[in-house]
Amino acid sequence: MEHNRRDWHLRKATGGGMLLTAGIHAVDRLVWLMDDDVVSVSGMLGAKFHDQEADDSALLGLRFAGGGIGQVQSVGYRTGATTYAMDLVCERGTLRIDMDRGTMLGRETVWTELPGSFEPNWTHNALVREWSAMRDAIADDTPVPVDGIYARKIIAIIEAAFASNETRREHEIAGGR
């Protein structure tokens, strides 16, 4: 758990929990890279490490319209180190995207670092890019990089994960292909 967590981070009613405050970014990254609609979600959530109402751990299984599957894990440890990484396992190799170390390509049991893939201060730089895009959209009437339709798809996945956790069953996404 990050030191800056406030009371609202710990309550369901105020949008707290690891899935909504951190895991949603991992879901977004996976869906964006897959470039495909999610049609169903299996979710397991709970407060396993902290005495709080909202989840501090979440594991999601995603089914994509094109037949692909994905897994997202978001855990708020009591102690330990944070990581912002994902593996995209493809037919001819694995792409490991590690925000704190850079991107590597795995082929034939060997990992190769991709030059220029590490961005120091990536969280700060990402926020600057987001706010700059919003400013440009308002000032110059340019389109925003991510529209509300895409954002709603991500929220639908999160809602399905919560529903799946409650029913202990896979949940279909309304409006999926």
Side-chain angles (χ1 to χ4, degrees):
M1 291 296 281
E2 296 178 28
H3 68 284
N4 65 351
R5 293 293 181 213
R6 304 291 186 253
D7 286 344
W8 74 265
H9 287 105
L10 311 177
R11 294 191 315 269
K12 290 179 185 179
T14 52
M18 283 305 294
L19 184 56
L20 272 173
T21 60
I24 194 168
H25 299 295
V27 170
D28 171 31
R29 186 169 44 245
L30 176 60
V31 171
W32 183 78
L33 286 167
M34 290 293 289
D35 193 27
D36 195 6
D37 289 331
V38 173
V39 294
S40 64
V41 179
S42 295
M44 294 184 285
L45 295 88
K48 304 299 178 196
F49 300 104
H50 304 87
D51 184 21
Q52 65 185 46
E53 176 190 331
D55 61 279
D56 65 8
S57 54
L59 178 62
L60 279 60
L62 308 178
R63 255 182 230 285
F64 290 87
I69 58 173
Q71 180 181 26
V72 173
Q73 171 184 305
S74 185
V75 179
Y77 301 97
R78 183 173 298 281
T79 60
T82 59
T83 181
Y84 302 95
M86 73 176 295
D87 287 349
L88 189 62
V89 181
C90 303
E91 188 175 327
R92 291 182 283 166
T94 300
L95 196 62
R96 176 165 290 158
I97 303 167
D98 186 327
M99 303 303 286
D100 294 318
R101 292 185 176 86
T103 302
M104 296 187 297
L105 179 62
R107 283 196 179 141
E108 310 284 333
T109 72
V110 176
W111 288 102
T112 304
E113 291 184 24
L114 300 179
S117 65
F118 173 68
E119 180 181 17
N121 301 315
W122 64 270
T123 53
H124 171 79
N125 295 336
L127 287 172
V128 168
R129 286 190 294 271
E130 287 176 15
W131 283 104
S132 296
M134 182 62 75
R135 178 202 60 219
D136 295 346
I138 294 168
D140 302 330
D141 199 28
T142 58
V144 291
V146 178
D147 63 23
I149 294 169
Y150 176 81
R152 182 63 190 111
K153 287 181 181 184
I154 301 302
I155 293 298
I157 293 166
I158 300 298
E159 289 173 343
F162 282 115
S164 171
N165 184 64
E166 290 296 318
T167 63
R168 299 182 184 267
R169 288 188 166 78
E170 187 170 352
H171 272 254
E172 291 187 11
I173 302 285
R177 284 189 208 172

